[in-house]
Structures are given as C-alpha cells and as structure tokens.
Amino acid sequence: MTTKTRKTLTRALPWGSLAKRLGAAAGVLTLAASGTAAHAADDPGTELAAYYRQHVTWTECRQGSDDEVGTALDGAGARCARVTVPMDYTRPTGPTMEIALSKLPAADRAHRIGTLMLNSGGPAEPTLGMPLETRTYLGEVGSRYDLIGMDPRFVGRSQPLGCGWPTGIWIRSAGTGRAAFDRQVSFQRDLAERCAARHGAVLPYATTRNTARDMDIVRTVLGERRISYLGYSYGAYLGAVYLQMFPGRTDRVVLDSAGDPGTWGPRLLRGREVPTERALRAWASWAAARHDDYGLGASRHAVLATVGRIVEAATDRPLRVGSHEVDEHVVPYLISNGVGSDREGDRAAFSGTVRVLDKAAKGIVVAPTPELEGALQFVLDPASSHFGSPAAAIICGDVAAPRDPEVYWRDIERSRDRHPLFGPVNNNIAPCAFWPEPPREQPTRIANDTPALIVSATGDAATTYRGSRAMHRLLTGSRLLTLHGAIGHGVYGEYGNACVDAKVNAYLESGRLPNGNPACRK
C-alpha cells in the first residue's frame, strides 16, 4: 500500500505501500537533572524537571536497507532522536517510554522563524516522515522553519502497540439484520479482549492528553519557548487539546479538517450520514458522465442503482475479489470511504473500485485494482493492525463508550430508515464498548482564545464543515478558512487549491491571522 493510500484511509477515520513495522527510533538520549533546555517561565517542577531538561543526540534516521522513510529523511538532511517521557504522568518516577522525533532543519538560518511541529492524523498515523512533504507545501517559507515529525506514543517508532488482531481496522457496517449485528458484537469484543490480554497494563496511557504532554516535553527539549503547529484531522484535535492544556506555548497554529471536539470519542462517526450521502450522489453524477469509461450507469440514478445491487449481493454472500472476501460489513465502509474526495484521480480510482465490485457481484472472477487492494489490505489484513490497535486504544482511552450492545442496536435501527447504507456503519458497535477499563481522565473541554487558523472544505464528509465551525466557535481567537464547493479531507497542500495554500503560507510567514474568516473556491 502506498503512503498516499494509507493516509487517505487513515484520514477517513475522520480524525484521518502500508509502511512496514518501523521498530525502535534512532537516537541516543540521556536524562539530566540539570541543563538549559527548559525555560524558567514554564518550569514543570521537580517531579518532571528531568524530562523537560533532558538532552538528546541527533543521529541518522535510516534503520536498515528497507527503511524507505528513514532513507528519504537522511537524503533530505533530516536527523532523528528519541525523547524519554513518563508512561504515566501521575507517576513521573515510574516506568518511562521513548518518543521518536525527526527534524528537518531550516535551510535559511538567518531568517529562521522557529519550529513547526506536525501531526498527520489518524489517530495513530506515523508522522516521522511528514516533514518531507510538508516542506513542499510550504514553498519559500519552508526554508525558515525547523520541521518536526513526532510519532505519538504507541505509534510508528514510538514503542508501537500491537494487539494481534486478525484484521486491520475495526470499522464495519452492522449489516442488514440482528444476526449480522450479533456477529459484529462478537467481532468487536474479540478485538478488545486481544488488546486487554496483550497490553492491559499500558492501555490507560494511550491518550490524546498524554500525547499533548509529550509534545510539551519535546518543545523544551528542542529549546523552544513556543512552537508552531500544523495538524490534520485527528491532528487538529490533538493541537486543540495542546492549546487548552498548555496555553501561551504556541506561535502559529494551523488546524486542518478539524472536527467538533465535543463529538470526539468512540462514536465520532455518528452524524456523517448526510454529508457522505451528498458525496455519494456527487460521485454518481461524475461517474454517470463517464459511463463509457466505467460502465456503471448513464445517469446518477443508474449509478446509485449499481451501488445498491453491489450492497445487496454482498448481503447475500461475500464477494470474491482476488484473495479477499468482501461481505455486507465491509462493502458499505469501502463506499463511505471512497466517496470522500472529488479530486479527479480519487474519483477515477473509486470508480475503478466500484467497477470491480460490480463484476464480483455478478459472479465474475476479478482482481482488485491497486487502490482497492490497498484498501482491502488496510481493512482486512492483520499486518495493518499496527495502525488499528493504537488508533482504537487512543479513542477508547480518551472517552468512555456505552457498554450495552442494545444501545447501538437501537441507534442502528433508528438510523437505518433514513440512512440505510451509512447509518449502520456510523452507529455500529466498536471495541471501546468492551474496553478493559474506562478512561482515567475526563475529555478535554476546548474553550480558549488562542490564535489559530482552522482550514476546512464545505464538503468534507469525514470531519464535517459543521464540525470545523464548532471548533472555530470554541477557539474564539481563531479564524476559519473555508474552501467552498470542494469534497475533501485534508485541504492545505493536499487538495491542490492555490488560494488555500497561499493564505496558509502567508499566515505561517507573517504570523498575522486574517482580519475576518477568509474563503476560497474550488
């Protein structure tokens, strides 16, 4: 699976080749009770002082001949290190863990602005390689920032958490009836029990608030009084949590595709039905205009009927696609994820996916397209559980979920009447319903006046435009940059809109937010 394919799928979790297991990060670290990295203005006190004042050694990033990310980082002049943090911040003298960093230094040291910390979303999307693509988005201003990639705790090279799942990720449709839902209950319970058996002792510490605490230690280890930040999807939520927990420690902040922080948690997919249905209809019109290329129907109605037949066929029996079997639990998720971008290449790729599924529904022997193969590996392949396991751990560790399966079943049935395809996906039960223990902290309440630039597309079906507006209202010092008429998740530098990119780069260069809420058009 390509990095782009994985990022598209992880971002579609709405908070966002499958990278090989990255292992331990490069770098050597020493903890020191004395040092100058921490500033007196934010002295954390005696218990955490050693963490804030530690010194790191920057080394090469490559960890073997097949380490593509590390090789690319080294080739660009980046360096990597490890930072020690407490496993449990309520017990600073207890067990520790190491957080992996990459640093792509500013090329223009004479006009250096500062440090820009990055997060690509997920949760649980590795971020170590993100400085490479981000520098291309930044244009000329990119040479004036040190770009920092930080794999969050239990992700990528930061002591990755793997639960031994027999699948990739947990997101599924509940299916069409009670028997199908009961299978989902058993499936999701098994995933939770596997995590509890392997990692029960550390699961409580896989949280967004602890990642924000790690970020603040990294800030001082880098010698910075304030850091700038760019986060996408879940990374936008993480950034907002950091702003709330550590006021006054940021400079320029960009939160791209930010969701409503009040909906963050195990049931975060709820409420996406309407924008996802709009995206489905928009794609169907696009595909109908290209019926000669894809053969899915010459009208929007005909294309939607093709999708309906695929779903019905998968309900009757799993569809065979290459080495994979795709059933009524997986097909609706593939559709939900596939319609989330209106860029030509993404729509063409999804149309190819639907064409393959249509043939499989008719009993034709088919092989998946490369894009569909990547998606199926991400959803079904146990090798992908190194993303799914920590993503679930973070979500379940942040916010408690209802534990009675009947709560989910009632919500599924209520949503099915109005949203028969996507309601059973977005309201389905998840591993958090069976997590071994509830969160040890309350969710972060976001409400402050920290300056930030929030970026959102009006047609975002993952973290909706409504959610970005909610974030904007809670961050009263923020501005909302809107891309009108676009369906996409991850806007700045990724959607390819010159207007958005120019406005974000102008802010990152000057540090001045727009006077009002600016807008761009597709």
Side-chain angles (χ1 to χ4, degrees):
M1 186 191 305
T2 65
T3 300
K4 179 180 178 182
T5 300
R6 187 188 68 241
K7 182 184 294 182
T8 299
L9 289 161
T10 56
R11 293 268 177 85
L13 280 178
W15 288 85
S17 63
L18 173 67
K20 295 183 178 180
R21 195 174 193 88
L22 294 174
V28 179
L29 173 148
T30 58
L31 276 177
S34 62
T36 60
H39 294 284
D42 47 49
D43 189 339
T46 56
E47 289 189 321
L48 289 171
Y51 295 101
Y52 274 83
R53 295 171 181 167
Q54 66 186 281
H55 300 278
V56 299
T57 299
W58 296 91
T59 70
E60 67 177 14
C61 298
R62 186 174 183 235
Q63 296 189 338
S65 59
D66 61 347
D67 181 4
E68 296 180 4
V69 173
T71 300
L73 285 166
D74 289 342
R79 304 291 277 172
C80 288
R82 301 163 76 175
V83 173
T84 298
V85 299
M87 180 79 71
D88 177 1
Y89 274 86
T90 68
R91 293 193 302 139
T93 59
T96 63
M97 61 185 302
E98 293 182 324
I99 303 300
L101 302 179
S102 65
K103 178 181 179 180
L104 187 57
D108 185 356
R109 306 302 294 180
H111 300 95
R112 179 181 178 273
I113 295 171
T115 291
L116 181 62
M117 186 174 288
L118 310 171
N119 185 276
S120 58
E125 173 68 11
T127 298
L128 211 69
M130 191 175 170
L132 301 174
E133 60 184 345
T134 302
R135 179 152 290 179
T136 66
Y137 304 160
L138 289 164
E140 292 183 2
V141 73
S143 65
R144 299 176 61 192
Y145 278 101
D146 292 339
L147 302 181
I148 303 297
M150 172 183 135
D151 280 353
R153 54 173 51 207
F154 303 116
V155 173
R157 297 188 184 188
S158 296
Q159 298 185 206
L161 182 153
C163 293
W165 284 0
T167 189
I169 62 167
W170 70 94
I171 302 176
R172 301 286 193 275
S173 171
T176 55
R178 182 67 198 217
F181 172 71
D182 288 342
R183 288 196 297 271
Q184 277 298 295
V185 171
S186 298
F187 172 75
Q188 304 289 353
R189 179 186 287 113
D190 176 65
L191 298 184
E193 289 176 348
R194 288 171 183 262
C195 284
R198 287 199 176 201
H199 299 292
V202 302
L203 289 179
Y205 313 117
T207 69
T208 300
R209 288 178 63 84
N210 280 336
T211 298
R213 294 177 175 114
D214 298 341
M215 288 169 57
D216 202 55
I217 288 177
V218 168
R219 174 186 62 81
T220 53
V221 167
L222 295 172
E224 300 287 3
R225 183 178 297 275
R226 296 193 299 167
I227 55 169
S228 294
Y229 180 82
L230 167 63
Y232 292 86
S233 193
Y234 165 78
Y237 174 71
L238 170 62
V241 170
Y242 182 80
L243 297 181
Q244 190 68 39
M245 293 179 66
F246 298 98
R249 301 186 188 183
T250 54
D251 183 10
R252 301 157 205 202
V253 176
V254 180
L255 307 178
D256 192 303
S257 303
D260 179 354
T263 66
W264 169 251
R267 310 202 74 189
L268 59 90
L269 296 178
R270 299 177 73 197
R272 293 198 318 156
E273 294 84 3
V274 170
T276 308
E277 287 166 351
R278 289 197 196 105
L280 174 62
R281 291 193 296 269
W283 163 78
S285 295
W286 184 94
R290 295 157 180 79
H291 175 62
D292 291 345
D293 295 326
Y294 300 105
L296 301 176
S299 67
R300 183 173 78 178
H301 177 78
V303 173
L304 293 174
T306 298
V307 172
R309 288 193 298 271
I310 293 170
V311 174
E312 290 177 4
T315 301
D316 292 339
R317 56 172 175 78
L319 309 182
R320 188 73 183 182
V321 179
S323 61
H324 307 282
E325 288 193 345
V326 188
D327 62 13
E328 64 177 315
H329 301 294
V330 173
V331 166
Y333 171 71
L334 293 176
I335 296 169
S336 174
N337 181 70
V339 300
S341 171
D342 63 5
R343 289 179 292 185
E344 289 290 308
D346 293 333
R347 280 186 163 170
F350 179 60
S351 298
T353 286
V354 176
R355 181 169 57 180
V356 169
L357 294 176
D358 184 36
K359 291 179 179 179
K362 295 172 181 175
I364 300 172
V365 176
V366 292
T369 62
E371 294 82 6
L372 179 54
E373 176 65 28
L376 291 174
Q377 287 181 10
F378 179 76
V379 176
L380 301 174
D381 190 342
S384 296
S385 69
H386 78 277
F387 165 78
S389 299
I394 293 165
I395 295 171
C396 302
D398 278 355
V399 181
R403 301 190 71 86
D404 183 359
E406 296 306 314
V407 171
Y408 301 88
W409 175 246
R410 289 193 294 268
D411 288 344
I412 290 164
E413 289 296 276
R414 278 193 293 265
S415 68
R416 196 189 302 276
D417 289 340
R418 293 186 59 193
H419 311 291
L421 181 56
F422 300 129
V425 177
N426 296 350
N427 291 274
N428 195 23
I429 198 166
C432 298
F434 308 103
W435 216 239
E437 64 175 87
R440 297 192 177 183
E441 295 186 84
Q442 291 297 311
T444 307
R445 180 178 177 271
I446 306 298
N448 62 74
D449 62 356
T450 304
L453 183 61
I454 299 170
V455 185
S456 181
T458 54
D460 191 338
T463 50
T464 65
Y465 184 59
R466 181 178 181 179
S468 289
R469 287 186 296 170
M471 180 74 85
H472 172 49
R473 288 192 297 271
L474 295 170
L475 295 177
T476 58
S478 69
R479 300 291 186 269
L480 176 60
L481 170 56
T482 300
L483 178 58
H484 287 281
I487 299 171
H489 186 61
V491 183
Y492 167 63
E494 299 194 352
Y495 188 85
N497 185 273
C499 173
V500 168
D501 294 353
K503 291 184 183 299
V504 173
N505 286 341
Y507 165 60
L508 289 173
E509 181 173 20
S510 70
R512 294 189 298 272
L513 286 170
N515 291 329
N517 293 322
C520 297
R521 294 204 166 270
K522 176 182 171 184

